[in-house]
Amino acid sequence: AIRFSGLSVNNVREISVRQAPFGMGTFEVMVVPEDRRYSDTTIAEVTNRIQRVAPVGVRWWVKAPVLRAMDISATIVVNNTVRGFEQISDQVSVGVRRYLNSLMPGEVLVYNKLIQAMMEVSSAIQDVQITRYAPNGVETVRRNFQPAQDEIIIPGRLEISTA
């Protein structure tokens, strides 16, 4: 009932309920809004809806996930017979944003899926070379990235160039 009452609010993408985070008789609700610009309003409305259905004598909290920006720079190698390099690099940027925005809190960013999101844009793309891979602004080894359970990966600075 708690999850469904939260999901009935506009601009809510997902609700996750964590049982007993601080011992028996507690629960925590994480609200993932569709649009981060309205997250404070959304969380306030979800809190009001949950207040109507929450059991008496139980302590609970509503919170938003911690945002972790992923900075990515990449060079795409394109078949030299293709025109419109600018369009392809813009489309690759959209593909990366789409993949990163599809991730939920605590969900692993799979490095191969990131590459696949870039390669699927056009059959003219022959190779992708990631030159910067920085979760939360810190350069790291190019591999799968596991955020904490209450963190969500969002697109940070994306730079896509062509070669």
Side-chain angles (χ1 to χ4, degrees):
I2 291 167
R3 182 170 182 270
F4 290 123
S5 67
L7 285 172
S8 68
V9 174
N10 288 336
N11 192 36
V12 173
R13 178 175 163 197
E14 182 60 54
I15 297 276
S16 65
V17 179
R18 195 170 72 153
Q19 297 291 332
F22 303 106
M24 295 302 293
T26 64
F27 67 89
E28 182 179 74
V29 176
M30 184 176 309
V31 179
V32 181
E34 282 287 341
D35 191 345
R36 291 186 298 272
R37 293 178 293 183
Y38 307 113
S39 65
D40 293 338
T41 307
T42 303
I43 289 175
E45 192 165 338
V46 168
T47 302
N48 288 337
R49 296 275 175 100
I50 290 175
Q51 224 166 8
R52 297 178 196 165
V53 296
V56 176
V58 174
R59 297 192 70 183
W60 52 276
W61 296 264
V62 177
K63 68 179 203 172
V66 177
L67 305 177
R68 296 291 180 219
M70 174 62 82
D71 298 336
I72 297 171
S73 296
T75 302
I76 53 174
V77 179
V78 181
N79 187 346
N80 58 3
T81 61
V82 174
R83 294 189 184 125
F85 291 112
E86 300 82 22
Q87 290 176 342
I88 290 178
S89 61
D90 290 344
Q91 291 169 351
V92 168
S93 181
V94 168
V96 170
R97 287 182 191 281
R98 190 172 290 142
Y99 171 64
L100 294 178
N101 285 330
S102 72
L103 299 173
M104 298 304 288
E107 192 173 346
V108 177
L109 181 151
V110 179
Y111 185 76
N112 287 341
K113 284 187 178 181
L114 177 66
I115 299 295
Q116 181 180 357
M118 294 179 187
M119 296 288 288
E120 286 180 342
V121 167
S122 171
S123 60
I125 298 175
Q126 296 176 334
D127 192 19
V128 174
Q129 299 166 349
I130 303 289
T131 55
R132 179 170 165 76
Y133 183 74
N136 207 24
V138 179
E139 186 80 27
T140 186
V141 178
R142 287 153 179 80
R143 62 176 180 197
N144 295 351
F145 176 71
Q146 173 70 57
Q149 183 180 3
D150 65 340
E151 296 177 344
I152 190 167
I153 299 171
I154 61 170
R157 202 167 117 207
L158 299 178
E159 296 176 1
I160 309 296
S161 60
T162 56

